[in-house]
Coordinates of all heavy atoms in Angstrom, one line a residue:
N297 N 1.9 12.4 17.4 CA 1.6 11.1 18.1 C 2.7 10.9 19.1 O 3.9 10.9 18.7 CB 1.6 9.9 17.2 CG 0.1 9.5 16.7 OD1 -0.7 9.5 17.7 ND2 -0.1 9.2 15.5
L298 N 2.4 10.6 20.3 CA 3.4 10.3 21.3 C 2.9 9.1 22.1 O 1.8 8.7 22.0 CB 3.4 11.5 22.3 CG 4.0 12.7 21.8 CD1 3.8 14.0 22.7 CD2 5.5 12.6 21.5
N299 N 3.9 8.4 22.7 CA 3.7 7.2 23.6 C 3.1 6.0 22.7 O 2.6 5.0 23.2 CB 2.6 7.5 24.7 CG 2.5 6.4 25.7 OD1 1.5 5.7 25.9 ND2 3.6 6.1 26.3
C300 N 3.4 6.1 21.4 CA 2.9 5.0 20.5 C 4.0 4.0 20.1 O 3.7 2.8 19.8 CB 2.3 5.6 19.2 SG 0.7 6.4 19.5
L301 N 5.2 4.5 20.1 CA 6.2 3.6 19.8 C 7.3 3.4 20.7 O 7.7 2.4 21.4 CB 6.9 4.0 18.4 CG 8.0 3.1 17.9 CD1 7.5 1.7 17.5 CD2 8.7 3.7 16.8
S302 N 7.9 4.6 21.1 CA 9.1 4.7 22.1 C 8.5 5.0 23.5 O 9.4 5.0 24.5 CB 10.1 5.8 21.6 OG 10.6 5.5 20.4
G303 N 7.4 5.3 23.7 CA 6.8 5.6 25.0 C 7.0 7.0 25.5 O 6.9 7.3 26.7
V304 N 7.4 7.9 24.6 CA 7.5 9.4 25.1 C 6.1 9.9 25.5 O 5.2 9.8 24.7 CB 8.1 10.1 23.8 CG1 8.1 11.6 24.3 CG2 9.5 9.5 23.4
M305 N 6.1 10.4 26.6 CA 4.8 10.9 27.1 C 4.5 12.4 26.6 O 5.4 13.1 26.4 CB 4.8 10.9 28.7 CG 5.2 9.5 29.2 SD 4.0 8.2 28.7 CE 2.6 8.6 29.8
P306 N 3.3 12.7 26.6 CA 2.9 14.0 26.1 C 2.9 15.0 27.2 O 1.8 15.3 27.9 CB 1.4 13.7 25.6 CG 0.9 12.6 26.5 CD 2.1 11.7 26.7
T307 N 4.0 15.5 27.6 CA 4.1 16.4 28.8 C 3.6 17.8 28.2 O 3.5 18.1 27.1 CB 5.6 16.5 29.1 OG1 6.3 17.0 28.1 CG2 6.2 15.2 29.6
Q308 N 3.5 18.7 29.3 CA 3.1 20.1 28.9 C 4.1 20.7 28.0 O 3.7 21.4 27.1 CB 3.0 20.8 30.3 CG 2.4 22.3 30.0 CD 2.2 23.0 31.4 OE1 3.0 22.9 32.2 NE2 1.2 23.7 31.5
D309 N 5.4 20.5 28.2 CA 6.5 21.0 27.4 C 6.3 20.6 26.0 O 6.5 21.4 24.9 CB 7.9 20.6 27.9 CG 8.3 21.4 29.2 OD1 7.6 22.4 29.4 OD2 9.2 21.1 29.8
K310 N 6.0 19.3 25.7 CA 5.8 18.7 24.4 C 4.6 19.5 23.7 O 4.7 19.8 22.5 CB 5.5 17.2 24.4 CG 6.6 16.3 24.8 CD 7.7 16.3 23.6 CE 8.9 15.4 24.0 NZ 10.0 15.5 22.9
L311 N 3.5 19.7 24.4 CA 2.3 20.3 23.8 C 2.6 21.8 23.6 O 2.1 22.4 22.7 CB 1.2 20.1 24.7 CG 0.7 18.6 24.8 CD1 -0.6 18.5 25.6 CD2 0.6 17.9 23.4
I312 N 3.4 22.5 24.5 CA 3.7 23.8 24.3 C 4.6 23.9 22.9 O 4.4 24.9 22.1 CB 4.6 24.4 25.4 CG1 3.6 24.6 26.6 CG2 5.2 25.7 25.0 CD1 4.3 24.9 27.9
Q313 N 5.5 23.0 22.8 CA 6.2 23.0 21.5 C 5.3 22.8 20.3 O 5.5 23.5 19.3 CB 7.3 21.7 21.6 CG 8.2 21.7 20.3 CD 9.2 20.6 20.4 OE1 9.3 19.8 21.5 NE2 9.9 20.3 19.4
L314 N 4.3 21.9 20.4 CA 3.4 21.8 19.2 C 2.7 23.2 19.0 O 2.5 23.5 17.9 CB 2.4 20.6 19.6 CG 1.4 20.3 18.5 CD1 2.2 19.7 17.3 CD2 0.5 19.2 19.0
S315 N 2.3 23.8 20.1 CA 1.7 25.1 19.9 C 2.6 26.1 19.2 O 2.1 26.9 18.5 CB 1.3 25.6 21.3 OG 0.4 24.8 22.1
L316 N 3.9 26.1 19.5 CA 4.8 27.0 18.9 C 4.9 26.8 17.4 O 5.1 27.6 16.6 CB 6.2 26.8 19.6 CG 6.2 27.4 21.0 CD1 7.7 27.1 21.6 CD2 5.9 28.9 21.1
Y317 N 4.8 25.5 17.0 CA 4.8 25.2 15.6 C 3.7 25.8 14.9 O 3.8 26.4 13.7 CB 4.8 23.7 15.3 CG 6.1 23.0 15.5 CD1 6.2 21.9 16.5 CD2 7.3 23.4 14.9 CE1 7.4 21.2 16.5 CE2 8.5 22.8 15.1 CZ 8.6 21.7 15.9 OH 9.8 21.1 16.1
K318 N 2.5 25.8 15.6 CA 1.3 26.5 15.0 C 1.6 28.0 14.9 O 1.3 28.6 13.7 CB 0.1 26.2 15.9 CG -1.1 27.2 15.7 CD -2.2 27.0 16.8 CE -3.2 28.1 16.8 NZ -4.0 28.2 15.7
Q319 N 2.1 28.6 15.9 CA 2.4 30.0 15.7 C 3.3 30.3 14.7 O 3.2 31.3 14.0 CB 2.9 30.6 17.1 CG 1.9 30.4 18.3 CD 2.5 30.9 19.5 OE1 3.5 31.7 19.6 NE2 1.9 30.4 20.7
L320 N 4.3 29.6 14.5 CA 5.3 29.7 13.5 C 4.8 29.7 12.1 O 5.2 30.6 11.3 CB 6.5 28.7 13.6 CG 7.7 28.8 12.7 CD1 8.5 30.1 13.0 CD2 8.7 27.6 13.0
I321 N 4.0 28.7 11.9 CA 3.4 28.4 10.6 C 2.4 29.6 10.3 O 2.4 30.2 9.2 CB 2.6 27.2 10.5 CG1 3.6 26.0 10.6 CG2 1.8 27.0 9.3 CD1 3.1 24.6 10.8
E322 N 1.6 30.0 11.2 CA 0.6 31.0 11.0 C 1.3 32.4 10.7 O 0.9 33.1 9.9 CB -0.3 31.2 12.3 CG -1.3 30.0 12.4 CD -2.1 30.1 13.6 OE1 -1.8 30.8 14.6 OE2 -3.3 29.5 13.6

Side-chain angles (χ1 to χ4, degrees):
N297 260 320
L298 295 167
N299 194 239
C300 291
L301 183 66
S302 302
V304 175
M305 302 302 282
T307 60
Q308 187 177 39
D309 287 345
K310 288 287 185 184
L311 296 187
I312 289 173
Q313 184 181 351
L314 186 61
S315 302
L316 291 175
Y317 282 129
K318 165 185 162 68
Q319 295 176 24
L320 184 63
I321 293 168
E322 289 180 335

